[in-house]
PDB file of all heavy atoms in Angstrom:
ATOM      1  N   ALA A  60      29.913  -2.877  -5.341  1.00 93.00           N
ATOM      2  CA  ALA A  60      30.854  -1.723  -5.435  1.00 93.00           C
ATOM      3  C   ALA A  60      30.222  -0.411  -5.500  1.00 93.00           C
ATOM      4  O   ALA A  60      30.716   0.661  -5.547  1.00 93.00           O
ATOM      5  CB  ALA A  60      31.806  -1.767  -6.748  1.00 93.00           C
ATOM      6  N   ILE A  61      28.821  -0.330  -5.315  1.00 94.00           N
ATOM      7  CA  ILE A  61      28.109   0.912  -5.326  1.00 94.00           C
ATOM      8  C   ILE A  61      27.467   1.120  -4.121  1.00 94.00           C
ATOM      9  O   ILE A  61      26.886   0.153  -3.464  1.00 94.00           O
ATOM     10  CB  ILE A  61      27.170   0.986  -6.550  1.00 94.00           C
ATOM     11  CG1 ILE A  61      27.927   0.739  -7.736  1.00 94.00           C
ATOM     12  CG2 ILE A  61      26.371   2.204  -6.500  1.00 94.00           C
ATOM     13  CD1 ILE A  61      26.925   0.656  -9.002  1.00 94.00           C
ATOM     14  N   SER A  62      27.583   2.305  -3.442  1.00 94.00           N
ATOM     15  CA  SER A  62      26.959   2.463  -2.106  1.00 94.00           C
ATOM     16  C   SER A  62      26.042   3.722  -2.133  1.00 94.00           C
ATOM     17  O   SER A  62      26.150   4.523  -3.119  1.00 94.00           O
ATOM     18  CB  SER A  62      28.045   2.734  -1.037  1.00 94.00           C
ATOM     19  OG  SER A  62      28.699   3.845  -1.226  1.00 94.00           O
ATOM     20  N   ASP A  63      25.200   3.938  -1.069  1.00 95.00           N
ATOM     21  CA  ASP A  63      24.415   5.095  -0.947  1.00 95.00           C
ATOM     22  C   ASP A  63      24.754   5.835   0.272  1.00 95.00           C
ATOM     23  O   ASP A  63      25.231   5.336   1.238  1.00 95.00           O
ATOM     24  CB  ASP A  63      22.866   4.685  -0.961  1.00 95.00           C
ATOM     25  CG  ASP A  63      22.669   3.522   0.104  1.00 95.00           C
ATOM     26  OD1 ASP A  63      23.495   2.880   0.403  1.00 95.00           O
ATOM     27  OD2 ASP A  63      21.472   3.543   0.506  1.00 95.00           O
ATOM     28  N   ALA A  64      24.491   7.055   0.181  1.00 94.00           N
ATOM     29  CA  ALA A  64      24.785   7.968   1.386  1.00 94.00           C
ATOM     30  C   ALA A  64      23.969   7.643   2.509  1.00 94.00           C
ATOM     31  O   ALA A  64      22.767   7.248   2.306  1.00 94.00           O
ATOM     32  CB  ALA A  64      24.397   9.489   0.947  1.00 94.00           C
ATOM     33  N   SER A  65      24.472   7.583   3.836  1.00 94.00           N
ATOM     34  CA  SER A  65      23.846   7.049   4.949  1.00 94.00           C
ATOM     35  C   SER A  65      23.498   8.128   5.929  1.00 94.00           C
ATOM     36  O   SER A  65      24.394   8.898   6.183  1.00 94.00           O
ATOM     37  CB  SER A  65      24.579   5.813   5.554  1.00 94.00           C
ATOM     38  OG  SER A  65      23.998   5.460   6.778  1.00 94.00           O
ATOM     39  N   SER A  66      22.283   8.023   6.561  1.00 95.00           N
ATOM     40  CA  SER A  66      22.063   8.877   7.656  1.00 95.00           C
ATOM     41  C   SER A  66      21.895   8.162   9.057  1.00 95.00           C
ATOM     42  O   SER A  66      21.384   8.730   9.961  1.00 95.00           O
ATOM     43  CB  SER A  66      20.597   9.732   7.428  1.00 95.00           C
ATOM     44  OG  SER A  66      20.613  10.477   6.273  1.00 95.00           O
ATOM     45  N   VAL A  67      22.349   6.970   9.014  1.00 96.00           N
ATOM     46  CA  VAL A  67      22.149   6.098  10.219  1.00 96.00           C
ATOM     47  C   VAL A  67      22.806   6.729  11.472  1.00 96.00           C
ATOM     48  O   VAL A  67      22.081   6.703  12.539  1.00 96.00           O
ATOM     49  CB  VAL A  67      22.778   4.760   9.993  1.00 96.00           C
ATOM     50  CG1 VAL A  67      22.818   3.890  11.292  1.00 96.00           C
ATOM     51  CG2 VAL A  67      21.987   3.860   8.995  1.00 96.00           C
ATOM     52  N   ASP A  68      23.896   7.388  11.366  1.00 96.00           N
ATOM     53  CA  ASP A  68      24.597   7.921  12.552  1.00 96.00           C
ATOM     54  C   ASP A  68      23.761   9.153  13.026  1.00 96.00           C
ATOM     55  O   ASP A  68      23.668   9.340  14.280  1.00 96.00           O
ATOM     56  CB  ASP A  68      25.978   8.560  12.095  1.00 96.00           C
ATOM     57  CG  ASP A  68      26.951   7.368  11.851  1.00 96.00           C
ATOM     58  OD1 ASP A  68      26.706   6.242  12.240  1.00 96.00           O
ATOM     59  OD2 ASP A  68      27.963   7.584  11.216  1.00 96.00           O
ATOM     60  N   LEU A  69      23.210   9.856  12.070  1.00 96.00           N
ATOM     61  CA  LEU A  69      22.374  11.022  12.518  1.00 96.00           C
ATOM     62  C   LEU A  69      21.036  10.612  13.326  1.00 96.00           C
ATOM     63  O   LEU A  69      20.572  11.045  14.230  1.00 96.00           O
ATOM     64  CB  LEU A  69      22.006  11.963  11.351  1.00 96.00           C
ATOM     65  CG  LEU A  69      23.169  12.615  10.612  1.00 96.00           C
ATOM     66  CD1 LEU A  69      22.821  13.192   9.235  1.00 96.00           C
ATOM     67  CD2 LEU A  69      23.648  13.791  11.545  1.00 96.00           C
ATOM     68  N   VAL A  70      20.575   9.464  12.689  1.00 97.00           N
ATOM     69  CA  VAL A  70      19.395   8.885  13.404  1.00 97.00           C
ATOM     70  C   VAL A  70      19.662   8.386  14.877  1.00 97.00           C
ATOM     71  O   VAL A  70      18.970   8.680  15.581  1.00 97.00           O
ATOM     72  CB  VAL A  70      18.730   7.664  12.535  1.00 97.00           C
ATOM     73  CG1 VAL A  70      17.700   6.986  13.192  1.00 97.00           C
ATOM     74  CG2 VAL A  70      18.290   8.210  11.215  1.00 97.00           C
ATOM     75  N   ARG A  71      20.926   7.732  14.924  1.00 97.00           N
ATOM     76  CA  ARG A  71      21.272   7.303  16.210  1.00 97.00           C
ATOM     77  C   ARG A  71      21.452   8.469  17.223  1.00 97.00           C
ATOM     78  O   ARG A  71      21.054   8.337  18.345  1.00 97.00           O
ATOM     79  CB  ARG A  71      22.674   6.527  16.110  1.00 97.00           C
ATOM     80  CG  ARG A  71      22.598   5.148  15.402  1.00 97.00           C
ATOM     81  CD  ARG A  71      22.174   4.128  16.399  1.00 97.00           C
ATOM     82  NE  ARG A  71      22.336   2.783  15.795  1.00 97.00           N
ATOM     83  CZ  ARG A  71      21.776   1.671  16.307  1.00 97.00           C
ATOM     84  NH1 ARG A  71      20.920   1.867  17.419  1.00 97.00           N
ATOM     85  NH2 ARG A  71      21.984   0.559  15.856  1.00 97.00           N
TER      86      ARG A  71
END
Side-chain angles (χ1 to χ4, degrees):
Chain A
I61 301 176
S62 69
D63 53 333
S65 172
S66 300
V67 171
D68 292 343
L69 293 165
V70 172
R71 289 276 190 198

